[in-house]
């Protein structure tokens, strides 16, 4: 475990990936303390099943175990010509998922109620489609309002490849009044604050709702899965499969015309931040 983590750090893997690797391999290492050659496929299968994990989570953990056992094979800790123990474990079939999105009225309600520190998370997620992890790594210097682009470096993007995302006119309007220095998300709890704010406003907060919304409305607007795939850092096949015909062109026009009112000033940070932080703590206690 220690060797593969050190090697992946040296290879420059993303911090998000390294965090997952440390967590899952750490759990595995504490559960299996003997030599790696003695670990059997049925033992790994039982360990994964015993966690009562969701299918996607279980498959992700199995993938990380295969990474470690493949590394062990490269280091000659395992026979080079035989399958490793995780290779003998089958992945779980993942059922079809429902793509849930916001209505234009819902994101407008959220943006108008959000404090300044939460606006970038909501606006960039909804109108540029960046993933939460990508936003967490993003600096304001990568957000070029003059050129109307966001530049994601390879080490910031999930796909580990550089990506240029267009800034729509309405997104620029939400960002221009903000202080734009340092990290875009200057507090780690901002995503949690956004979800708590939504609940307080009587709105649901499905997983990845901002990104799902952006891709759905963007596809309806430009009618080009390849173009949206490049912007979103996804494959055209996935875009076409999960987001096609979820919304109308009229709804897409409405989505990308949501802008702050003339003279809009985001709510004061301190009061709103304090209020949301208290609500977040209450939610965690519950």
């Amino acid at each position: 475990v220690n060797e593969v983590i050190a090697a992946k750090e040296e290879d420059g893997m993303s911090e998000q990936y390294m965090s997952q690797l440390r967590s899952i391999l750490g759990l595995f290492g504490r559960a299996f303390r003997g030599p790696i050659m003695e670990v059997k496929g049925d033992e790994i299968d039982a360990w994964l099943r015993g966690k009562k994990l969701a299918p996607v989570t279980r498959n992700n953990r199995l993938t990380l175990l295969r990474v470690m056992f493949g590394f062990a094979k490269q280091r000659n800790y395992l026979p080079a010509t035989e399958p490793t123990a995780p290779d003998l474990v089958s992945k779980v079939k993942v059922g079809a998922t429902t793509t849930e999105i916001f209505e234009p009225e819902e994101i407008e309600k959220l943006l108008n109620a959000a404090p300044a520190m939460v606006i970038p998370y909501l606006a960039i997620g909804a109108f540029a489609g960046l993933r939460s992890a990508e936003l967490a790594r993003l600096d304001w210097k990568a957000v070029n309002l003059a050129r109307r682009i966001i530049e994601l470096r390879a080490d910031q993007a999930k796909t580990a490849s550089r990506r240029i995302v267009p800034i729509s006119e309405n997104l620029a309007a939400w960002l221009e009044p903000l202080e734009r220095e340092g990290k875009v998300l200057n507090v780690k709890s901002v995503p949690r604050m956004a979800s708590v704010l939504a609940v307080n406003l009587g709105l649901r907060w499905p997983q990845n709702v901002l990104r799902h919304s952006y891709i759905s409305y963007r596809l309806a607007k430009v009618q080009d899965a390849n173009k949206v795939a490049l912007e979103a850092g996804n494959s055209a096949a996935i875009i076409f499969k999960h987001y096609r015909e979820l919304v109308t062109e009229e709804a897409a026009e409405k989505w990308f015309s949501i802008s702050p009112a003339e003279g809009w000033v985001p709510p004061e940070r301190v009061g709103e931040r304090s209020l949301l932080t208290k609500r977040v703590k209450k939610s965690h206690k519950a």
Side-chain angles (χ1 to χ4, degrees), residues 5-13:
I5 288 174
K8 294 301 179 182
E9 285 178 339
E10 189 175 312
D11 291 344
M13 304 303 288

Side-chain angles (χ1 to χ4, degrees), residues 100-113 122 198 201-206 209-210 213 217 254-255 258:
E100 297 186 75
I101 64 175
F102 277 140
E103 297 292 331
E105 295 78 12
E106 292 176 318
I107 192 62
E108 187 171 23
K109 185 177 182 179
L110 262 172
L111 284 165
N112 283 319
L122 292 172
L201 292 173
L203 303 174
R204 74 215 189 291
W205 187 269
V209 63
L210 297 175
S213 298
Y217 289 108
K254 188 173 183 180
W255 181 267
I258 296 171

Side-chain angles (χ1 to χ4, degrees), residues 228-243:
V228 178
L230 283 174
E231 296 171 354
N234 231 327
S235 71
I238 291 295
I239 297 293
F240 192 80
K241 178 180 178 181
H242 293 290
Y243 302 97

Side-chain angles (χ1 to χ4, degrees), residues 85-106:
D87 291 334
L88 301 176
V89 180
S90 299
K91 288 193 172 184
V92 186
K93 184 176 180 180
V94 179
T97 57
T98 301
T99 303
E100 297 186 75
I101 64 175
F102 277 140
E103 297 292 331
E105 295 78 12
E106 292 176 318

Side-chain angles (χ1 to χ4, degrees), residues 48-60:
L48 291 171
R49 290 178 185 276
K51 298 293 182 180
K52 306 296 183 184
L53 303 170
V56 171
T57 303
R58 186 166 146 188
N59 289 342
N60 289 342

Side-chain angles (χ1 to χ4, degrees), residues 16-253:
Q16 182 187 21
Y17 179 81
M18 292 307 305
S19 178
Q20 292 177 329
L21 203 66
R22 294 186 196 101
S23 174
I24 303 312
L25 297 190
L27 290 172
F28 184 79
R30 288 189 288 275
F32 295 84
R33 294 189 171 276
I36 193 168
M37 188 178 287
E38 295 182 1
V39 181
K40 307 300 181 186
D42 60 339
E43 294 174 334
I44 292 176
D45 186 60
W47 182 72
L48 291 171
R49 290 178 185 276
K51 298 293 182 180
K52 306 296 183 184
L53 303 170
V56 171
T57 303
R58 186 166 146 188
N59 289 342
N60 289 342
R61 290 192 175 191
L62 181 58
T63 296
L64 292 178
L65 293 181
R66 288 176 177 176
V67 168
M68 182 176 74
F69 276 72
F71 174 85
K73 183 182 284 190
Q74 292 173 354
R75 293 289 175 97
N76 294 318
Y77 301 148
L78 294 171
T81 58
E82 297 180 17
T84 66
D87 291 334
L88 301 176
V89 180
S90 299
K91 288 193 172 184
V92 186
K93 184 176 180 180
V94 179
T97 57
T98 301
T99 303
E100 297 186 75
I101 64 175
F102 277 140
E103 297 292 331
E105 295 78 12
E106 292 176 318
I107 192 62
E108 187 171 23
K109 185 177 182 179
L110 262 172
L111 284 165
N112 283 319
M117 66 187 309
V118 180
I119 291 288
Y121 178 76
L122 292 172
I124 296 176
F127 303 126
L130 269 66
R131 300 174 175 90
S132 294
E134 293 171 340
L135 269 169
R137 294 190 285 267
L138 193 67
D139 295 316
W140 276 115
K141 61 185 178 183
V143 181
N144 192 324
L145 293 184
R147 295 179 59 197
R148 292 292 194 265
I149 60 169
I150 297 172
E151 182 178 359
L152 278 170
R153 302 191 312 268
D155 61 328
Q156 294 172 322
K158 180 182 177 181
T159 54
S161 58
R162 179 174 173 270
R163 191 161 97 244
I164 301 296
V165 183
I167 295 177
S168 59
E169 290 301 316
N170 70 321
L171 174 55
W174 287 106
L175 299 181
E176 280 172 349
L178 304 177
E179 295 179 15
R180 300 189 299 279
E181 293 184 2
K183 289 284 187 180
V184 170
L185 303 187
N186 53 12
V187 176
K188 288 184 178 180
S189 59
V190 164
R192 177 63 182 155
M193 291 181 183
S195 65
V196 171
L197 177 62
V199 172
N200 289 338
L201 292 173
L203 303 174
R204 74 215 189 291
W205 187 269
Q207 187 175 10
N208 295 325
V209 63
L210 297 175
R211 178 172 168 80
H212 288 332
S213 298
Y214 166 78
I215 296 175
S216 301
Y217 289 108
R218 181 66 172 163
L219 183 60
K221 182 177 175 65
V222 302
Q223 298 290 310
D224 187 337
N226 289 306
K227 179 180 178 65
V228 178
L230 283 174
E231 296 171 354
N234 231 327
S235 71
I238 291 295
I239 297 293
F240 192 80
K241 178 180 178 181
H242 293 290
Y243 302 97
R244 183 172 59 101
E245 297 180 351
L246 286 182
V247 299
T248 64
E249 290 184 52
E250 292 76 16
E253 289 296 332

